Structures are given as structure tokens and as C-alpha cells.
Amino acid sequence: MATIKDVAKDSGVSLGTVSKVINGLHVREDSRKKVEASIKKLNYNVNLYARSLKASRTNDIAVIIPTMENSFFTLMVDSIEKELTKKGKRMLICISRNDDSKIRSYIEMARNSKVDGIFGVTYSEIDKTLLDNMPFVSFDRHFGNNSPCVSSDNYMGGYIAAQTLHEKGSSNLLCFWTGSDTDSEPYKRIQGFKDYCEEKKISYNVIEHLNFNQTDTDMMSASKGFKSMVKGELENCFAGKAFKYDGIFASSDHLGYIIKEYLVKKKIRIPEDVQIIGFDGVPVRGVGKPIVSSIHQSASSIAREGMRVLFELIENGTAPNLVKIPVKFVDGGTTRN
Amino acid sequence: MATIKDVAKDSGVSLGTVSKVINGLHVREDSRKKVEASIKKLNYNVNLYARSLKASRTNDIAVIIPTMENSFFTLMVDSIEKELTKKGKRMLICISRNDDSKIRSYIEMARNSKVDGIFGVTYSEIDKTLLDNMPFVSFDRHFGNNSPCVSSDNYMGGYIAAQTLHEKGSSNLLCFWTGSDTDSEPYKRIQGFKDYCEEKKISYNVIEHLNFNQTDTDMMSASKGFKSMVKGELENCFAGKAFKYDGIFASSDHLGYIIKEYLVKKKIRIPEDVQIIGFDGVPVRGVGKPIVSSIHQSASSIAREGMRVLFELIENGTAPNLVKIPVKFVDGGTTRN
DNA sequence: CTGAAAGCGCTAACAG
DNA sequence: CTGTTAGCGCTTTCAG
């Protein structure tokens, strides 16, 4: 492997000059030509580790996601990679699997390896001191320490869900919420949902289950406890043979799907009798539609904005505290036309 | 950020001793104690870049995949990350998006950044010289240069597909193949399919379309050209109102799904009239089953074996040339019980 | 077993 | 505009 020294020797200029050429600084035209020729000839490339060591910047960005079994996150990773490539940066991935200690140790490692910044999707608490001096942008959660948060417009999501159910003919709405933290951005969906119902004087109800976190719904199939919880709640929504609601807003597509499966088993027709709207709206691969009608949050927009904010933070040391991304309704067969 | 020097100063031993402690080499018990105390006190961690620069090994592994929009690959990445974490290694991801030049430049970068090895899923040709001295393990493709290949047992996959269709009552089989390279491991599926049919004297036919590559089926929805090609082929399989086959083995789940959609539109019942088996068998998230019945290849086994082979290659400079992973049939509703 | 010292490949300051 | 030089933080000889 050729080094900068070899290039210098080969092209007959000094080490510093070569460095300048590599880094696009000004040198005399013919020096540049010679250096470039040698670079090509020796098939030279910078050693990123040496550069990083010296310059204490690495062009590496770490991305932390909870799982790869959720298409929403993988779509996000995909878009992040696109943005990073554009900027000539590398992407390191950490899959936290909801393991707090793994996140902790990963961030520590990231600090020491001097990645330039971290984009994190995490539902764990993070020790603020860990984040000191480490540019950190998060999705959906606030971590103080001037760490910006990028998030969908969750409030509008809830609002649009209620509105869509209503406009498509439902008048007795249920919001079924599962999720652990009530201080997060996603929790605002409930308020949006409520506000629309109040505005339009629509009858509604909210079921909140705060004991279930992402883990229960992110994986291939719901945990047993999750499923039986859903079943239990829905059983209570029957008045005799009749289901009390004709429109349901679920906190995730997956939950929406479980609800649908349960109701279908109970001979309730979807969407004729009951309409269901979930959240995320990730198309099933090869099918092109989500598993239920949904409020779609754009993984690519989130990634793009997330990176924009992260770069801003890295360069200026400061960035907007919250960036909201618009959402929209998408059909998935569980709502009427 | 504390450095090794700070630790040496704080603990009153020399730099070299600290280094030994960090790297688990033998030092006197009380020296080790002192050093460890200082490390904790100063919250010291090794600077990976400095280490890599000096030691010319990085503990970074690069993974190249074509896309993140295919669950099979993301599952694989997920498992790879698991294996890497176990070994204390980091994972760099490159999404090639079927762009040859991107792969090329990525491998070059990987060489210069001295990643310890590369695991690559790629359908492009790769310049052999690029791979010189770079431990490289690939999935499904051979790249010579003693680069090992990890692959599902594709031959058996085709064999099992034919067998399953047959045993579940089909006797007039079609193998519908799309894919560009005929010298790859996956191409062996066709032979397996044929061999079963020959053995059992079952009537069969094979449609091969070599002009379509991964890109046409990997994305959220098939390309227009792909869909119309499928439609055209299937139209030729009708004898009047009747479809000529009662069992189809498709080269991917996605293709199987497109075939299914088309036949359903033609009022053919699936699986009553025609059974369909695809390949990959990745469960749809939240649903738990693949979009069609399928020959399942295990992303996690592939990842595990891939990493095992890669580490072997890194450590010994040599490893087995081909590693085959077993496959199995999974139900996805397009075959009878 | 420990400490001193060389140097990995590079950047950035400085003097020329 | 160019060459020289001092390290970045670490590992690894090599004496002691």
C-alpha cells in the first residue's frame, strides 16, 4: 500500500505538497499534475485512520437503531446511507436490540473512535454526560443537552387519522395506544386524535396501554402477552354481538393488523363494519401497500432532515431543537374508498 | 478525552505498561490494579484510530449489500451485526444500489481504511486485483482469488420445490426463472427442479428470462417491464380458458406474488387450481408468513457461516471455497395442506 | 517485568 | 507556493 511518502518521492515534491493536493488546497499547477500522476500510478489512497488520528475528525457517522426487523428503520437506514454517501462519509451501524448497556457502550466507543456524530433511534434513557460534546440527533425522543430531535408531525397524524375515519363514514371512534413513554413525540398523536373528535363533536374513546414498548410489536410477530392484552381489551368493546366502535386508530400498523385479525375472527367485516388506521404506513415488499391503512411517516424525509440537522450540529455546534416532518394518509385496505 | 499518557501519568507507571494492561498482556498484579483504577477514574478508552494506524488491523468489517428494501438482506445484516458484536468488531455498511462504480470505490476505500475484511452481496463483477490481499467472502457468487462463497443449497431448493408441489398434488409443473447470471449458485435451483421432475417422470417446463436482474424485483414494486414480461409469458400458458400448469416454482417470492396476482385476476384459484412456490421465504413483518409459499433460505445461518468463514480467512489467510446452507419449505398460503 | 523510544501515515503550522 | 517538522495516540521492539 502506497503512502503519502511514496507519492512525494515518486513525484519529486515534498510531503506537505502532496497533502495539499490531496486536500484540495492550492498548489502550483504543474506540481499538482505531477502529484496526481503519481497518485494514480502508485494507486495511492489516503489512510483514513492516520488522517482521523491527526485531524480528529473521521467522516464516520454512527447510526443506532433498535432493530432491523422493522422495515421503517431499514428504510431510514437506507436513506441515511444515501445522504452520507453524498457527503463522502461512512456509516457505522449499531443495532441496540433494546439493550441499554449496548447503547451505552456503543456511544462510549463512538466517542473514543471519534465518530463525527450519532443519529440515534432509541427508547432507552441515555446518560446526558455521555452525550456531552458528541453531536447527537435523535428520532422521536428528546435528550436535552441541545441534542436536536427529528420527528414526524405526530399531532397531525392523530388528527388526520380521526378525520379520515370520520370522512370515510365512521362516527364512533377508538384510539388504541400502546407505548411506554408518555413524554415522547409520538404520544402527541393521541392529542391530535382527541382534538379532531372534540372539534367535530364525534364520540370517541381512548385505550392506553403504557406497559408495552416497541419490543412487543417490532418483531416478526407480537409477543404472547401483547396479543392477549389486545384480545382482552377488544372483548370489552362488545355490547352483545355488536362491536361498539366503527373506526379505530391504532398506534402502529402492527397493532392495527392484530386488531383486524381479531375482529375478522369475530365475523366483523373490515372495512365495511369497522375501519382501521395504523401508523407508519410502510409498504410490504413486493405488495406495495402497508398491511393496514395507515398514517405514513416518511423514513426518507426523516433521514434527510436528520442528517441535515446533524451536519449543522457538527459544523456549528448548534441546531434547531425539534424538526417536524409532515405525514399523510395511505390506503391499506382497512378503510373504505 | 484522556489518552494513554494521562493514564500512565496518573497511575505512575510507564506508557508501555499501560498499553500492556489494555491489551491483556502480563504485568505485575499491583501495576495492573493501579492502571485499571486510573482508567476508570479518567474514563479512559482507547482511540481506535490510533490503534488501527499502528497495528494495521481495525476490527472493522465492511458489509456490502445491494439494497435495504429487501427484508432478506436486512435480516442478514441484522445477524451479521450480532456476530460482529460478539467478537467486539464494528460493522460498516455499504449499500451498493447495483452501482458498480460505487462498489469499486467502496472496496478501494475499505482497503485503504484497512477494514479487516469484507462480506459482500453483489451481482456486479469485481476487479480481481481489488480483492488482492483483502479478505472477501461473498454470498451466492464466486469471485475467484480464493474468495470463499457462502450460499444456500440452491440445488436442493429447486428439488424440494418440485417435490413439494408434486406431493401436494400438482403434476404439471412450471419453473419460472428470472435472473441475469447463469454461472451463479442460485442458477442451480433450476437443475434441482429439473432433476426431481425427471426422476419422478413429471411433466414440466422451464421459462427462463435472463434479461432481468435483481433490480427489477428487489424494490417495493416490480418495474413495469418486468410485470409486462410476466404477463406476456403467462398468457402463452393458456390453452383456451385453461391454464396449462397446476404448479409453479418461481425464482423469487416477489415473482411468485406477481404470478399469483395475475392468475387470480384470470379467475384461477390459488392454491386450489394452481400451487405456487417462491424462493426466500422471508416472513412479512407483523404477519409472520411470507407473501407466497416458499423455499426458505436462512439469512441468519448465512450470516453466521459467512462471518465464521471470513474470520477464518482473516486469521489463516485461507478458508473453504464454498459453504452451503440448508433450505426448507415454508407455507405462505399458495400451496395446499 | 518495566520504561524508553521509534514510528504507523497523516495534517498543519511555520519558515523560507 | 513549497519544504520541513512536530506531533495525533498508540503498539512494539529493545534494553535494563
Side-chain angles (χ1 to χ4, degrees), chain A residues 49 60 69 81 113 218 285, chain B residues 49 60 69 113 218 285:
Chain A
Y49 290 93
D60 288 343
E69 290 178 340
E81 200 265 1
S113 322
D218 271 358
R285 253 214 16 97
Chain B
Y49 291 91
D60 288 343
E69 289 177 342
S113 320
D218 273 357
R285 255 218 8 102

Side-chain angles (χ1 to χ4, degrees), chain A residues 1 43 45-50 52-53 58 60 67-71 74-75 77-78 81-82 85 90-95 97 102 108-109 111-115 217-220 254 257 283-288 291, chain B residues 1 43 45-50 52-53 58 60 67-71 74-75 77-78 81-82 85 90-95 97 102 108-109 111-115 217-220 254 257 283-288 291:
Chain A
M1 209 80 285
N43 195 13
N45 288 71
V46 223
N47 178 319
L48 297 185
Y49 290 93
S52 299
L53 175 59
T58 62
D60 288 343
T67 170
M68 279 254 159
E69 290 178 340
N70 184 324
S71 306
T74 61
L75 242 39
V77 168
D78 186 81
E81 200 265 1
K82 229 179 253 169
T85 301
R90 306 193 306 178
M91 178 177 69
L92 283 159
I93 287 200
C94 167
I95 304 172
R97 303 173 209 284
K102 189 166 175 198
E108 264 181 9
M109 184 185 85
R111 289 178 67 95
N112 287 288
S113 322
K114 301 216 191 73
V115 302
T217 54
D218 271 358
M219 304 305 151
M220 285 301 170
H254 193 175
Y257 185 82
V284 173
R285 253 214 16 97
V287 174
I291 51 179
Chain B
M1 210 80 282
N43 194 14
N45 289 70
V46 220
N47 179 318
L48 297 185
Y49 291 91
S52 301
L53 175 58
T58 62
D60 288 343
T67 170
M68 281 253 159
E69 289 177 342
N70 183 325
S71 306
T74 61
L75 242 40
V77 168
D78 186 82
E81 201 265 1
K82 231 180 250 168
T85 300
R90 307 194 305 178
M91 177 177 70
L92 284 158
I93 288 201
C94 168
I95 303 172
R97 302 173 210 286
K102 190 166 175 198
E108 265 181 8
M109 184 184 85
R111 289 178 68 94
N112 288 286
S113 320
K114 301 215 190 74
V115 303
T217 54
D218 273 357
M219 304 305 151
M220 285 302 172
H254 193 176
Y257 185 82
V284 174
R285 255 218 8 102
V287 174
I291 53 180

Side-chain angles (χ1 to χ4, degrees), chain A residues 172-200:
Chain A
N172 227 311
L173 304 189
L174 172 66
C175 172
F176 198 140
W177 175 264
T178 59
S180 44
D181 24 18
T182 53
D183 57 341
S184 64
E185 286 295 319
Y187 194 72
K188 294 181 182 165
R189 292 173 205 168
I190 300 182
Q191 197 56 48
F193 176 88
K194 281 180 179 169
D195 283 0
Y196 179 84
C197 292
E198 301 281 355
E199 264 174 39
K200 299 289 177 177

Side-chain angles (χ1 to χ4, degrees), chain B residues 174-178 205-209 229 233-234 237 245:
Chain B
L174 172 66
C175 172
F176 199 140
W177 175 264
T178 60
N205 200 356
V206 176
I207 296 176
E208 278 191 42
H209 262 270
M229 175 277 287
E233 286 292 354
L234 291 178
C237 297
Y245 306 98

Side-chain angles (χ1 to χ4, degrees), chain B residues 282-327:
Chain B
V282 177
V284 174
R285 255 218 8 102
V287 174
K289 290 194 305 185
I291 53 180
V292 293
S293 292
S294 186
I295 302 300
H296 175 259
Q297 45 180 350
S298 167
S300 58
S301 305
I302 290 164
R304 206 174 314 115
E305 284 304 296
M307 288 307 108
R308 199 179 56 68
V309 172
L310 185 54
F311 295 150
E312 195 177 328
L313 186 59
I314 291 170
E315 277 153 35
N316 309 336
T318 174
N321 184 51
L322 174 62
V323 176
K324 265 191 213 156
I325 314 288
V327 295

